[in-house]
Amino acid sequence: MNKGPLATPRLSASWRRSEYYGAPAEVVDPVFSGAVDEESLFFECGQQVLTGLHDSLTDEPVSLMLTDQDGHVLSRLCGDSTLVDALDRTYLAPGFAFSEREVGTNGLGLALADRTPALVRGDEHYCTGLRGYTCAAAPVLDPVSRQLLGSVNLTTWSQRSEGLLVALAQSAAGQTSALMLARGQGLALRPTPRGEVFRVYSAPSDDDPPVLSGRWHAALAEVEAALADGRPVGVVGEPGVGKAVLLAWALRRRYPHDRILTTRPPDPRDAESWLALWAPELGKDHTSVVAGRVDGLPSWAAAELAGMVAAGSARPFTVTARDAAAIPEPLARLLATVVELPPLRHRPDDVLPLAEHLARRSRGRPVRFTPAAVRALRVYHWPDNVEQLRRVVREAAGRSDLVDTRHLPPEVLCGPAHQLTRIEALERDEIARCLAEPGMTVTRAARILGMSRATIYRKIAHYDIPVPGRGPA
């Protein structure tokens, strides 16, 4: 193994991963993709933030870079021609990939792998070809979903003091997320999970699952087959689609008297205490574990968890992630089966059974849905999947035992959202609410809202507002 001064366990773990990946030890030879998405909100906001920071560092030999989640350099700003020429010789330039897999331990690769700020100085780089630089980087997370989007990287000469490089990178990453939120229709920020990061279900449960479609049961059967053979299994799919629930149901059927412990990834700063908190449960009889959203784990934590599972787990280990490629490699190597659960929009036959099930749980008694409400629920595209259906049904069932369209929020009564201004969103919601009233016609709604028939029809088309069972009077 290429030796160097490994000051921290985090750097040591990164060097071990670099060796496993077969990263070059002497000459930098990254992959060139050439493709840079300059139309994304992430690129637009990140470039604006870095341009402002660059303007304040005009006299400093510092290069500012934006990368995607795979380490591809999207943009580079640097006013020092000597540093630019040197970076070009090492291919640290737009279009080239600088993940750990490509070039070994480096600042941006480590920040992306561990989802937390990183500083890699001179000879801490795995590849000797990068030891002339000091690199500080911070990950950029989507302000709503908390999905990893990329990183902000600051690179300077290794003999210079790193000073405030990490603080500047972290500030720029935070400003990029904040700017994305401000331009994203004012969506509420989803807090990073901290503190309690697991849930425990005791079995058996009296809450029988609803009768769902063949696509759901095909996924359930595949998971159950893996559990019956004692094989670790993963379920992947979009956020909120019900991956952990699917695994919990399969585990209950296989091990009806087990506790089922489900985890969620913590803030990367809390990962060590998070592992210490629950990982001892892996070796206990009558305890099944669902490690949820493992694609959100720092690389070192995923490797540590994989080692604990390999050392001995009383039950088949199960995980969830957004897709198979996102499962950290140490955990992916343990899995014998990965099952994909389709999004709710591809399972329209599941919407009503799930809605009735969720409403009964919320209300404490059966709740019915009118034909108009059923149609509205079935045709809606459910971008946040079952989690969104749960929120909608809980609110509607809290208002009536018979849910009609007037009990549903405007988001469900409208089609896929355009990029609307706040005024347009208010107008859309008001039209949708008016049309949801019992016996309402388009002509009457236009009169109530002070619009002409032509105007309201045009706005209904513009906002994709369905009008089930209604027509002009």
Side-chain angles (χ1 to χ4, degrees), residues 210-222 224 246 253 350:
V211 178
L212 298 179
S213 67
R215 300 191 73 175
W216 167 273
H217 283 285
L220 182 62
E222 195 172 354
E224 288 183 321
L246 176 71
R253 288 157 65 113
D350 287 344

Side-chain angles (χ1 to χ4, degrees), residues 227-301:
L227 295 178
D229 291 340
R231 293 179 285 136
V233 60
V235 176
V236 298
E238 293 180 2
V241 79
K243 303 182 289 292
V245 172
L246 176 71
L247 284 170
W249 285 358
L251 288 165
R252 278 199 182 115
R253 288 157 65 113
R254 178 64 184 169
Y255 306 107
H257 300 292
D258 271 17
R259 291 187 316 151
I260 300 173
L261 183 151
T262 68
T263 76
R264 295 290 184 268
D267 184 290
R269 295 168 295 181
D270 299 330
E272 186 173 358
S273 58
W274 175 82
L275 279 172
L277 178 67
W278 70 267
E281 301 292 327
L282 286 168
K284 293 183 178 180
D285 292 333
H286 307 300
T287 297
S288 296
V289 173
V290 178
R293 304 173 191 169
V294 294
D295 46 310
L297 287 175
S299 293
W300 73 265

